[in-house]
Amino acid sequence: MVMATFVNGQHKTDYGHIFLTTDNVLYDKERIEKTPSRDDGISKEDERDIRILGCEMIQSAGLLLQLPQVAMATAQILFHRFYVSKSLVVHNFEHLAMACIFLAAKVEEYPRRVRDVINVFYHIDQVRQKADPIQVMGFTGQMYFKQKNDVIKAERWLLKVSRSFL
């Protein structure tokens, strides 16, 4: 049975032994405002725009990969949490977005092949650039192997950094 109560003027919902509240946030406002990307010279607005673009790419990729919304939401959370402790200057947001959707699909038990993830992001990039005609990436060329290595490297970084927030 779900019980809703007010404690100290705040709404709290009781789901058995789990209380949902805004009192137990992972990061305080100061930590969110002072990210490594800002230290590297990226403005608050640019960082916000890049994060939004990364989340939009994850959402589009998830739809094309026919993933459930929970996997896409997990990927977006991983994406945002990663950039709280790492810089957008050092870590390419597109590679990380691919790694996030790849890892989230595995975590939520809807695994997809890395080849499919790369191909979907390649398609999204071509649509974004209004390429005509849209082509499929070859899976024997240097470009594919570089992308695959970049995604796997980004996934390793993601796993390494995620130990602090999982």
Side-chain angles (χ1 to χ4, degrees):
M1 180 175 186
V2 177
M3 302 277 298
T5 59
F6 284 92
V7 177
N8 296 330
Q10 291 218 352
H11 182 265
K12 294 189 180 198
T13 305
D14 179 10
Y15 293 95
H17 298 288
I18 301 170
F19 284 97
L20 298 179
T21 177
T22 57
D23 291 337
N24 60 349
V25 295
L26 288 176
Y27 303 112
D28 58 4
K29 188 173 181 163
E30 184 179 309
R31 173 112 189 247
I32 292 170
E33 292 292 323
K34 187 162 173 47
T35 62
S37 299
R38 301 251 179 81
D39 292 341
D40 288 343
I42 294 180
S43 71
K44 181 178 182 177
E45 293 76 22
D46 287 344
E47 182 177 11
R48 183 197 64 223
D49 291 346
I50 293 170
R51 285 180 180 225
I52 289 170
L53 179 59
C55 286
E56 286 175 350
M57 291 175 76
I58 288 169
Q59 188 70 29
S60 298
L63 291 171
L64 291 171
L65 290 165
Q66 298 179 344
L67 291 171
Q69 184 60 43
V70 69
M72 292 179 266
T74 300
Q76 291 170 344
I77 288 168
L78 291 171
F79 185 80
H80 282 300
R81 288 185 181 175
F82 182 85
Y83 284 118
V84 168
S85 61
K86 298 295 177 190
S87 175
L88 285 159
V89 173
V90 177
H91 300 280
N92 182 301
F93 81 95
E94 290 183 37
H95 296 156
L96 189 75
M98 285 189 259
C100 287
I101 198 81
F102 183 59
L103 181 60
K106 289 193 275 187
V107 167
E108 299 297 340
E109 298 185 4
Y110 293 93
R112 296 296 187 263
R113 296 180 298 193
V114 70
R115 179 176 74 189
D116 294 335
V117 172
I118 291 169
N119 200 27
V120 162
F121 272 85
Y122 183 71
H123 173 79
I124 291 168
D125 192 44
Q126 285 189 325
V127 169
R128 221 173 70 209
Q129 294 178 8
K130 297 178 175 60
D132 189 39
I134 294 176
Q135 300 175 352
V136 177
M137 179 189 291
F139 296 108
T140 56
Q142 286 289 71
M143 186 174 169
Y144 168 73
F145 287 113
K146 182 182 179 338
Q147 285 283 77
K148 183 177 177 181
N149 287 335
D150 289 340
V151 171
I152 291 169
K153 218 182 292 182
E155 183 188 26
R156 275 190 260 138
W157 267 106
L158 186 59
L159 287 167
K160 185 177 180 180
V161 170
S162 68
R163 289 192 321 211
S164 66
F165 56 79
L166 289 180

